[in-house]
Amino acid sequence: MTATTLSALPSAPPSTAELTRDIRSTTGESVSVIAPFTGEQLHALPLSSLSDLADAYARARLAQIGWARAGFAHRRAVLLRAHDLLLSRRESLLDTLQTETGKTRGQAFEEVFQAVGVTRYNALAARRVLGGERRHSGLPVLVTTTVRYRPKGVAGVITPWNFPLSLAAMDVVPALAAGCGVVQKADNQGALSILLLRRAFIDAGVPADLWAVVTGSGAEIGGAVTAGADYVCFTGSTATGLTVGEQAASTLTGASLELGGKNPMIVLDDVDPHRAAAQAAYACFSSMGQLCVSIERIYVQRAVSEQFLREFVTVTRALILGSGLDYRADVGSLTSQAQLERVTRHVADAVGHGATVQVGGRPRPDLGPYFFEPTILTGVTPAMLCFAGETFGPVVSVSVVDTEQEGILAANDSEYGLNASVLSGSARRGLRVAGALEAGSVNVNEGYRGSFAAVDAPMGGVKSSGLGRRNGPEGLLRFVNPVTISRATGVLRLPGTGTEFARLVGPMVLLARTLKVARRR
């Protein structure tokens, strides 16, 4: 593609009909996608077949050869054009995200901003991270050693409905920057946002066949996406992630899996209760808690527990629920009937087993079919579904602890380890407690946005929360195979016979000792 200025690129976003034509689909079948704010049909989404998927992989593999050969400079220029198109089309992206997911405009903007940051980072960092480098040779002077990186080929990306734009960008963009192609299975509920994201990259110069989008049920399409990939990126539940990981492992295919979380927050006794309550409210109820890194359980030290809980309830009760395509609402809607049923079941179960609802706890059908009030529970025990299981909704439990250590032990007492948070009046104390938590990311005096927005740092989980990392150099390196290339300089021929070894043993032992003294690796 020749150099193109941004002014020469299409500025107007495509229509829904134009976007859905970008899906690989020859079935003639479609599924109705529901708008969370109204419960009415948003659009009819074409469905892909296994044949469509196979065709997408074949075309992506051909396109990937030329894309990889085009080099870092070309890919950087294309991705930076896409970066600017995302900014210029942000209003359309925001509208689409809100109507597909039910989140507020502010929380939709977080996604757009994340996608823009991920694009800029990978465009600018790819050459530095993947450009190859000289390494120390085991035989200085006699042999030189370099490491180069070869794109793995075509990545299979499986993206959920809850954060379709930012989660797609965090997997697809580094794959493109590394020289790979992508076949992406979009969740039906988030497909339009993904297609709108993709179109910006196509308009910027990414070959259309290089990034294909397919749809369909996970049972029919998901396994085939994994089977056809040279590397797999999956975001979703731990149960499904285990299946994806096992399938990938059966063919020795690499995978990064970001899975479930039951993320804790520790509130220490030196906090400002009002400020801590405001931080906790956003950490728990942003995107209605339908975020893998949102907080679902809070452990507050007894000395501030009454003040904190009082402030937390006040802040939560004041949150404005709404469905407008503007910035007036603080929280939006759950995304589906299934989500509403899950949240309602968890709250009813907790109350039935003796928990107390401090605020919220009920659906709001007067606002829309899937609205549910942000909910704070106390008295949650191991007998309740929401104690250890992920609710993935606007429900948080608050428990009182006496000491830092008790809070740390409670926070770590989980099969999950994705994100954690510590609120403290002392940065040093907060960081010390953070260092004891078992999670892939820990935020001090913030819920999740600090680490989530740090696109130069790795993001992922430990324990049952996942495998591998996205973002940062680690996020780029997963899409390449390192190749070590060593070259004999010819200064001295390496020994090949017993006699030659005998002559060189002494000098080589001396070399090893000299390298140690010189602190040479």
Side-chain angles (χ1 to χ4, degrees), residues 116-199:
V116 168
V118 165
T119 302
R120 184 176 62 254
Y121 172 81
N122 285 286
L124 299 175
R127 182 191 291 274
R128 172 178 56 81
V129 176
L130 305 178
E133 59 185 339
R134 187 165 180 170
R135 298 288 181 91
H136 291 294
S137 169
L139 299 168
V141 181
L142 306 184
V143 176
T144 64
T145 299
T146 58
V147 174
R148 295 180 182 176
Y149 297 97
R150 180 175 296 138
K152 287 183 175 178
V154 177
V157 176
I158 302 174
T159 308
W161 50 265
N162 60 322
F163 268 61
L165 201 67
S166 56
L167 292 177
M170 285 191 280
D171 284 335
V172 173
V173 178
L176 297 177
C180 289
V182 172
V183 173
Q184 181 178 15
K185 182 199 172 299
D187 186 279
N188 295 345
Q189 192 66 44
L192 214 58
S193 297
I194 288 171
L195 291 168
L196 195 56
L197 174 74
R198 173 186 176 273
R199 182 61 74 92

Side-chain angles (χ1 to χ4, degrees), residues 277-336:
Q279 291 166 334
Y282 196 88
C284 299
F285 305 130
S286 173
S287 294
M288 289 298 279
Q290 299 171 126
L291 173 61
C292 54
V293 292
S294 66
I295 299 299
E296 291 199 10
R297 49 198 178 107
I298 295 176
Y299 303 100
V300 55
Q301 280 195 277
R302 190 173 301 278
V304 293
S305 59
E306 291 186 8
Q307 292 173 285
F308 170 78
L309 183 59
R310 183 167 56 250
E311 293 284 354
F312 191 22
V313 168
T314 299
V315 170
T316 300
R317 184 174 285 120
L319 294 174
I320 298 171
L321 285 76
S323 58
L325 301 185
D326 52 40
Y327 291 94
R328 287 180 291 182
D330 301 315
V331 289
S333 169
L334 291 167
T335 304
S336 67

Side-chain angles (χ1 to χ4, degrees), residues 167-428:
L167 292 177
M170 285 191 280
D171 284 335
V172 173
V173 178
L176 297 177
C180 289
V182 172
V183 173
Q184 181 178 15
K185 182 199 172 299
D187 186 279
N188 295 345
Q189 192 66 44
L192 214 58
S193 297
I194 288 171
L195 291 168
L196 195 56
L197 174 74
R198 173 186 176 273
R199 182 61 74 92
F201 282 78
I202 303 308
D203 288 346
V206 170
D209 286 341
L210 187 71
W211 178 359
V213 174
V214 296
T215 57
S217 71
E220 292 182 25
I221 297 292
V225 172
T226 300
D230 299 307
Y231 187 84
V232 179
C233 304
F234 172 83
T235 306
S237 70
T238 296
T240 305
L242 287 171
T243 300
V244 172
E246 289 170 359
Q247 184 181 356
S250 70
T251 56
L252 300 181
T253 301
S256 58
L257 312 170
E258 185 181 296
L259 310 179
K262 189 69 177 177
N263 306 302
M265 170 182 282
I266 298 176
V267 180
L268 299 176
D269 58 10
D270 58 357
V271 298
D272 176 310
H274 178 73
R275 181 177 296 179
Q279 291 166 334
Y282 196 88
C284 299
F285 305 130
S286 173
S287 294
M288 289 298 279
Q290 299 171 126
L291 173 61
C292 54
V293 292
S294 66
I295 299 299
E296 291 199 10
R297 49 198 178 107
I298 295 176
Y299 303 100
V300 55
Q301 280 195 277
R302 190 173 301 278
V304 293
S305 59
E306 291 186 8
Q307 292 173 285
F308 170 78
L309 183 59
R310 183 167 56 250
E311 293 284 354
F312 191 22
V313 168
T314 299
V315 170
T316 300
R317 184 174 285 120
L319 294 174
I320 298 171
L321 285 76
S323 58
L325 301 185
D326 52 40
Y327 291 94
R328 287 180 291 182
D330 301 315
V331 289
S333 169
L334 291 167
T335 304
S336 67
Q337 180 66 30
Q339 281 296 102
L340 178 65
E341 290 173 358
R342 180 184 181 89
V343 171
T344 302
R345 183 172 67 254
H346 273 220
V347 172
D349 172 80
V351 172
H353 284 86
T356 300
V357 176
Q358 297 291 336
V359 67
R362 62 192 181 101
R364 289 292 302 274
D366 55 309
L367 299 175
Y370 310 137
F371 277 84
F372 195 96
E373 291 181 341
T375 301
I376 301 172
L377 299 175
T378 55
V380 171
T381 68
M384 303 171 190
L385 291 173
C386 67
F387 178 82
E390 185 178 26
T391 301
F392 212 65
V395 179
V396 62
S397 63
V398 178
S399 303
V400 177
V401 294
D402 288 306
T403 65
E404 282 181 18
Q405 188 61 30
E406 186 182 351
I408 291 168
L409 291 173
N412 289 341
D413 186 19
S414 172
E415 65 174 302
Y416 298 110
L418 188 58
N419 179 49
S421 173
V422 181
L423 304 186
S424 174
S426 163
R428 178 177 295 181

